[in-house]
Structure formats: structure tokens, C-alpha cells
Amino acid sequence: METLIRRTTKEDQKIALSSLQGFQVVSQRIKSSRKKGVKIKIQETGEFITIPKKALTLLSAIIQNMAEGKTISIVPSNSEVSTQQAADMLNVSRPHLVKLLEAKKIPFKKVGSHRRILLKDIMEYKEQLTKQREAQLDFLSNQAQDLNLGYE
């Protein structure tokens, strides 16, 4: 599967906003069901399609993001990304990402002169970074409390 990137138009955003609450209510009810598949009806054709429950959860996240006007990207987890794509995902510059790669903080492989990074490795690094930031923020807030710096 190739990477899909679609910009959300204002019209898409309006439709997503109007359907979001109802979709989330139905999605929550279905989550508690033991069935692995969900049957949905296509209004325009009257046809029924069975999809995995996980796909319904993904669809819910897509609608939520569209309602917020965000661009949607769907990338298979075993995909390789370029250094620019990885830098965009981490919100860092490409040169900074290359430094991280060369410091062996994120695994990569070279294809010719190009570096390729597995999407799962980028996501693992991002999660690790988030945990480190949370730990540092906890430390700072505890230190502020201990020093009675007026934060209550």
C-alpha cells in the first residue's frame, strides 16, 4: 500500500463536523460488542459492507482529524520514509534528523546515497522522546513544589 496524503477541504471539514458526534456514539457502542466485524450500509447504493472493528476505530480517528481541519496521512507501518519525511514527522530539520541517524539514535539503512528509515523506528523514537519530556516535566514540577515557587 502506498502512502496516502489528502488535504481536508472546508467542505470536508463541515461534513465531518456534522457527523462526528453521531459517529462517535455508534463507534463506542460497537466497541463493546464481541463481534470482530462491523456491517455498514452505503446509503447511495443500499449495499452493506462488512469491515473489521479496527477499521471503524481508524475511520473515527480520520473523521475527528478532518473535523479539526487537519490533513490526513495514512502510511503502512512497514513503510520506509525519507529523511525529509521523518524530519517532518518529528518536527525537526532534516540536518538535525541526519545527526540523530549518524549518532545511531534512530536505526536506518542506506540505499545508494539515500538514507531510509522504517516508520516504526520513527514512531518508537517519537514515543521515547515524549516519555523523556514527560519525565523531565514531572521532575521540574516536583522541584518547583519542593522549592515552594508558588505553583499550586
Side-chain angles (χ1 to χ4, degrees), residues 6 17 24 33 39 50 73 84 95 97 106-107 139 142 151:
R6 299 288 183 260
L17 272 169
Q24 287 177 332
S33 159
K39 192 178 278 192
T50 301
S73 300
Q84 186 60 59
L97 179 83
I106 303 171
F139 171 76
N142 288 336
Y151 298 105

Side-chain angles (χ1 to χ4, degrees), residues 24-62:
Q24 287 177 332
V25 168
V26 170
S27 184
Q28 284 295 347
R29 271 193 252 142
I30 291 172
K31 274 185 187 177
S32 61
S33 159
R34 290 186 178 186
K35 293 181 180 179
K36 299 206 185 291
V38 177
K39 192 178 278 192
I40 59 175
K41 181 180 180 180
I42 307 300
Q43 180 102 21
E44 288 76 13
T45 63
E47 295 174 270
F48 287 92
I49 300 171
T50 301
I51 62 170
K53 267 185 11 180
K54 288 181 182 180
L56 189 69
T57 303
L58 180 60
L59 185 56
S60 181
I62 291 169

Side-chain angles (χ1 to χ4, degrees), residues 18-141:
S18 69
S19 65
L20 182 61
Q21 188 176 11
F23 191 86
Q24 287 177 332
V25 168
V26 170
S27 184
Q28 284 295 347
R29 271 193 252 142
I30 291 172
K31 274 185 187 177
S32 61
S33 159
R34 290 186 178 186
K35 293 181 180 179
K36 299 206 185 291
V38 177
K39 192 178 278 192
I40 59 175
K41 181 180 180 180
I42 307 300
Q43 180 102 21
E44 288 76 13
T45 63
E47 295 174 270
F48 287 92
I49 300 171
T50 301
I51 62 170
K53 267 185 11 180
K54 288 181 182 180
L56 189 69
T57 303
L58 180 60
L59 185 56
S60 181
I62 291 169
I63 292 171
Q64 173 73 44
N65 281 287
M66 288 180 86
E68 294 171 8
K70 295 178 182 175
T71 297
I72 307 297
S73 300
I74 300 176
V75 183
S77 61
N78 63 348
S79 293
E80 292 180 347
V81 295
S82 69
T83 52
Q84 186 60 59
Q85 290 169 318
D88 291 344
M89 288 178 196
L90 295 174
N91 293 320
V92 298
S93 68
R94 195 187 68 75
H96 178 71
L97 179 83
V98 171
K99 286 179 188 175
L100 292 172
L101 297 176
E102 296 301 328
K104 299 188 186 320
K105 298 203 179 203
I106 303 171
F108 72 99
K109 70 177 184 180
K110 273 198 160 184
V111 179
S113 62
H114 300 282
R115 294 172 188 88
R116 295 285 178 235
I117 308 126
L118 287 174
L119 178 63
K120 73 175 187 67
D121 292 334
I122 293 293
M123 300 315 288
E124 285 172 9
Y125 179 79
K126 191 172 185 175
E127 186 176 320
Q128 174 188 347
L129 208 55
T130 300
K131 286 179 183 176
Q132 287 175 349
R133 285 179 182 151
E134 287 174 359
Q136 291 298 321
L137 286 171
D138 286 344
F139 171 76
L140 288 172
S141 65

